[in-house]
Amino acid sequence: MRALLLLVPPAIVAAYLVWAGFKYTRMISNIFLSLVYKPAFEPPVSAAGEKITILNSSDEEIEALYHGRRGAKKLAVFCHESGAGKESWEKYAYFLPDAGFSVLSFDFKPRGGESEKNSLSQWPTEEDVERLVTVIRWAKKAGRPDASIVLFGVSNGADIAFAASFRDPAVKAVVADGLFSMKEIFRDYIRKWAPILVRPNLFGERYPSWVVNVFTELGFWYSQKRSHRLFVDIERYLTRGHVPLLMIHGEKDDYVPAGHQSFLEKMNRRGSAAVPRVVVPEAGHNQAVVLGREIYEKKVRDFLSAL
């Protein structure tokens, strides 16, 4: 009887942990999946480039713009941010043609596909990565097979570009403006909401890192399960050896704040040499090219010329 009584407290604790894990994993994921990124609408300056259509293996159309010579030795594939389209390449990469690059920019969402204004459009998916890989392979067949290809991505496009750089050896470098980790955003929300929502609150205002990490992994897994999508785990890619990478951020980015940016640097050091970084003063998310146009252009040009 005494032995049975001794087992009761551990059983209660175990039952509570299972219940809490299930409840708060769902709660965190619901908050995360309900987030909607609403960038300010900016009509495209122009639609420079030849309009082309690329077909994937399912005969799905990928609409794109090609600016430059088809047989160019240097090609930049532009990956737009959430809420934008292929025409936005000129806002960020306007100087690349003068640097000797042809530019290929494409739409991530297929014609007639889901709206960019839904609550999941800001999160990079492995489906997006495969779409980019299809574009890269088309570019190699339509142009020079020995062409040097660089990927230029903004926000979720930066995550997608970096992930795709591991899929094709033709990719020589990645320019990542606004790179972020979905898991680190998860951690930020857990740190913010756990002290308010969790009852009983066993850890006060500062939750241990191991608790935050456990619920981040559970939340990330559950969000994929619920949405039926595989999201890009940028941390997994940063810890592996990779092609040259240039990270660009805004000093006052509230989407990828300073702590998040430092975290990305630390993650990268585990798998590769330190990467060059550009932090533009006073700039918010995706504003580096607007508020630091000269330094933005110079740093990207210098990075690409050193390849």
Side-chain angles (χ1 to χ4, degrees), residues 49-246:
E50 173 192 358
K51 292 184 179 180
I52 59 176
T53 299
I54 301 169
L55 296 179
N56 65 12
S57 58
S58 301
D59 287 334
E60 179 185 72
E61 293 184 352
I62 301 174
E63 296 183 348
L65 292 172
Y66 197 105
H67 183 83
R69 295 185 300 104
R70 288 287 183 93
K73 190 173 182 179
K74 297 191 292 185
L75 174 67
V77 180
F78 183 79
C79 307
H80 65 76
E81 65 186 293
S82 173
K86 59 184 178 297
E87 297 82 5
S88 65
W89 77 265
E90 281 190 283
K91 175 182 176 181
Y92 299 94
Y94 61 90
F95 51 87
L96 287 186
D98 287 341
F101 284 86
S102 290
V103 179
L104 175 61
S105 182
F106 69 102
D107 286 331
F108 277 111
K109 299 304 176 188
R111 180 185 298 172
E114 63 184 87
S115 169
E116 277 284 340
K117 296 181 180 179
N118 70 81
S119 61
L120 297 175
S121 63
Q122 72 265 40
W123 307 127
T125 68
E126 291 294 336
E127 181 181 359
D128 294 326
V129 176
E130 289 303 319
R131 193 172 178 84
L132 173 52
V133 171
T134 296
V135 171
I136 294 170
R137 291 172 179 166
W138 176 90
K140 291 195 298 183
K141 290 181 180 179
R144 296 176 53 148
D146 62 338
S148 293
I149 297 176
V150 301
L151 306 181
F152 193 136
V154 180
S155 194
N156 65 335
D159 283 33
I160 295 164
F162 187 53
S165 69
F166 291 85
R167 310 290 178 86
D168 197 301
V171 177
K172 304 304 180 185
V174 177
V175 176
D177 181 347
L179 189 78
F180 64 87
S181 165
M182 289 182 66
K183 287 185 175 179
E184 184 63 7
I185 294 177
F186 249 112
R187 295 184 190 100
D188 287 341
Y189 273 82
I190 292 171
R191 295 184 190 106
K192 176 181 178 180
W193 291 105
I196 300 172
L197 299 176
V198 175
R199 294 291 181 269
N201 184 356
L202 304 179
F203 301 105
E205 293 298 314
R206 293 184 62 85
Y207 270 61
S209 295
W210 69 268
V211 174
V212 174
N213 288 332
V214 165
F215 278 96
T216 293
E217 294 296 332
L218 288 172
F220 191 76
W221 166 80
Y222 186 77
S223 293
Q224 294 182 113
K225 179 179 175 64
R226 183 181 164 195
S227 65
H228 305 291
R229 301 185 184 199
L230 290 177
F231 296 120
V232 172
D233 181 0
I234 208 68
E235 296 176 18
R236 177 167 64 90
Y237 291 111
L238 280 172
T239 55
R240 297 165 56 185
H242 54 72
V243 298
L245 170 68
L246 173 65

Side-chain angles (χ1 to χ4, degrees), residues 242 245 265 268-269 272-277:
H242 54 72
L245 170 68
E265 278 195 298
N268 178 76
R269 291 194 194 106
S272 188
V275 301
R277 265 192 76 209

Side-chain angles (χ1 to χ4, degrees), residues 245-290:
L245 170 68
L246 173 65
M247 287 198 290
I248 304 172
H249 288 104
E251 180 187 36
K252 294 188 176 180
D253 189 337
D254 57 356
Y255 194 71
V256 190
H260 190 145
Q261 297 173 28
S262 297
F263 173 80
L264 295 177
E265 278 195 298
K266 293 176 183 177
M267 291 299 297
N268 178 76
R269 291 194 194 106
R270 297 182 188 178
S272 188
V275 301
R277 265 192 76 209
V278 181
V279 180
V280 175
E282 302 300 318
H285 193 59
N286 301 345
Q287 292 183 332
V289 72
V290 177

